[in-house]
Amino acid sequence: MPGTGIRTVAELAGVSIGTVSKILNPGSSANIRVSAETREKVLAAADRLGYRPSYGAKLLRGESTRTIGFAVTLPGDHTDTYLSNYTFRLLNGIGREASRHHYQVLLIQGEDYRYYMDVKRIDALVLIGFPLDSNPLTDQMRGLFEHFNARNYPYVVINNQLPGVTAAGIGVDNRSGMRQVAELIRRKGYESAGFVGELTPNPQRHHIERVRCLREFLAGSGCTFDDARILNGCGNGVPEVPRVGRYSHADGQAGLRYLLDNKLLPRCIVCGNDDIATGLLKAARAQKLRIPEELAVIGFDDNENAEYLEPALTTIRQPLEEFGRLAVSHLLDKINDPARTIQMTIEPELIERSTT
């Protein structure tokens, strides 16, 4: 109906303009103070009049969109559209906490999310960390965070390890995780250990840090952890495995084959994540290796499939859903108090199962 507005809806429903505003703004926590009967009257009136709130008008007025962006790639990067189990777990935590506060989540892939913040298309932003050891977009990332920091935007990066860049962040304590792994290896008395990460020219900084910490904690233990058994990257005979997103079961399969072919199989293999460990276990079964009697395997993340593998996977539990919840909680605090910031490192937990 031409000229229909919120006042017309209120008159037809017999309620105040404020009541209509509360009901037609699904993000408003004030909705809970409106009776179901009143809500039905307002929705029926709006439907009869064909009235819909103008989202564009809200943006022009600078009002809250009650939307949190979740960016899974860098601006301009349309290649990594694969949403891994890791990403879904973060999204589960983000989504639940956002919904609890009557916010929605907008998934952003490959778009320039600086624009989303600048025009207030979203109120806040969660970004997945940029894990590559050598990232050609480092300067772009530095500029992005400087842009956000200068404007005091509400944002947080999960598992960000970018050197020289100040960014609000929540991440896992890799050092603590590898200390727990080393303690397990010592307790079990394994005489040798290896590591299988991503077999790519540009592996994750997380995996590089885990190798460094594991080497430190195994020093003097009687367990050898030599370079020949550390497969993190490719070259010098180590095959390159094409990426499917950031994570690949094929890394584990190719890694085990390489170690067997070169007679380098250690007593225990630590994997960069559970996907790699899953691929490695499949290859081990094909080779009829007894787990854990001949080969012990340890993962990282504790995804929902880890305990259902046969045998069940020993792994380091990274509380990704909690990361997502904490990220949203911080963003809402930041919206209300712009002076807030966050730099949080969370200690993971060893979950010992049947592969060790």
Side-chain angles (χ1 to χ4, degrees), residues 6-26:
I6 192 171
R7 183 181 300 276
T8 310
V9 175
E11 290 173 353
L12 181 60
V15 298
S16 70
I17 293 175
T19 298
V20 174
S21 179
K22 291 176 184 178
I23 292 171
L24 297 183
N25 176 8

Side-chain angles (χ1 to χ4, degrees), residues 197-213:
E198 293 178 335
L199 307 189
T200 168
N202 196 8
Q204 294 185 42
R205 280 188 303 277
H206 280 301
H207 292 186
I208 294 171
E209 182 182 6
R210 289 168 194 168
V211 168
R212 182 176 64 250
C213 292

Side-chain angles (χ1 to χ4, degrees), residues 152 330 333-334 336-342:
N152 208 17
H330 163 69
D333 287 343
K334 176 79 170 177
N336 293 320
D337 180 4
R340 283 183 178 267
T341 188
I342 189 171

Side-chain angles (χ1 to χ4, degrees), residues 132-284:
L132 299 182
D133 179 43
S134 176
N135 198 318
L137 298 176
T138 295
D139 287 341
Q140 178 181 343
M141 291 152 56
R142 182 174 291 107
L144 174 109
F145 293 130
E146 289 173 351
H147 181 85
F148 283 1
N149 291 341
R151 290 157 178 77
N152 208 17
Y153 285 156
Y155 79 96
V156 63
V157 187
I158 295 178
N159 274 333
N160 176 56
Q161 298 289 329
L162 185 63
V165 173
T166 300
I170 299 170
V172 68
D173 187 341
N174 284 315
R175 185 174 179 81
S176 172
M178 290 300 100
R179 176 184 51 76
Q180 294 176 66
V181 167
E183 289 172 353
L184 172 62
I185 290 173
R186 287 171 179 260
R187 175 161 47 86
K188 293 287 186 177
Y190 299 141
E191 68 279 3
S192 60
F195 185 93
V196 176
E198 293 178 335
L199 307 189
T200 168
N202 196 8
Q204 294 185 42
R205 280 188 303 277
H206 280 301
H207 292 186
I208 294 171
E209 182 182 6
R210 289 168 194 168
V211 168
R212 182 176 64 250
C213 292
L214 189 56
R215 191 193 304 277
E216 175 186 343
F217 290 123
L218 287 177
S221 68
C223 176
T224 60
F225 186 56
D226 53 63
D227 290 343
R229 292 187 170 101
I230 298 173
L231 309 184
N232 195 37
C234 60
N236 297 321
V238 178
E240 179 178 351
V241 174
R243 299 294 90 198
V244 180
R246 290 178 179 162
Y247 309 97
S248 175
H249 297 88
D251 291 311
Q253 294 176 293
L256 184 74
R257 286 195 297 268
Y258 174 87
L259 292 169
L260 284 171
D261 290 347
N262 290 276
K263 298 180 172 52
L264 293 169
L265 189 70
R267 180 64 183 84
C268 175
I269 296 178
V270 180
C271 296
N273 58 48
D274 288 353
D275 285 347
I276 293 172
T278 299
L280 190 144
L281 285 171
K282 180 178 180 180

Side-chain angles (χ1 to χ4, degrees), residues 33 42 67:
R33 295 194 292 271
V42 169
T67 302

